[in-house]
């Protein structure tokens, strides 16, 4: 299958503190299956998305940051 998606985000610097938020959504046809008799496993995903937050400290030429979020 394939995916097509949209990714958007923003970073805001306040002094040396950097705050960010990023979101993405992807649509596509991803499917698969596996037969292991007597059980058949199947999986399918049409819409995937994630939301991520970032916090960091800006130095002279580097950004040291931590990020975390959720996907589904």
């Amino acid at each position: 299958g394939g995916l097509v998606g949209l990714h958007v985000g923003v970073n805001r610097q306040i002094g040396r503190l950097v705050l960010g938020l990023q979101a993405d959504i992807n649509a596509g046809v991803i499917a698969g299956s596996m037969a292991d008799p007597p059980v058949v496993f199947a999986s399918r995903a049409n819409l995937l998305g994630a939301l991520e937050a970032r916090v960091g400290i800006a130095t002279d030429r580097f950004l040291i940051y931590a990020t975390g979020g959720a996907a589904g």
Side-chain angles (χ1 to χ4, degrees):
L3 287 175
V4 62
L6 175 66
H7 301 257
V8 295
V10 62
N11 287 318
R12 171 77 181 188
Q13 186 170 349
I14 305 164
R16 292 181 55 201
L17 179 67
V18 177
L19 302 173
L21 189 62
Q22 178 177 323
D24 64 75
I25 188 162
N26 298 287
V29 178
I30 302 172
S33 63
M34 181 179 76
D36 187 8
V39 180
V40 175
F41 299 95
S43 177
R44 181 182 176 122
N46 293 330
L47 193 60
L48 305 168
L51 182 62
E52 181 179 320
R54 170 181 317 107
V55 62
I57 299 293
T59 64
D60 183 35
R61 294 185 184 187
F62 298 98
L63 173 63
I64 301 167
Y65 67 92
T67 185

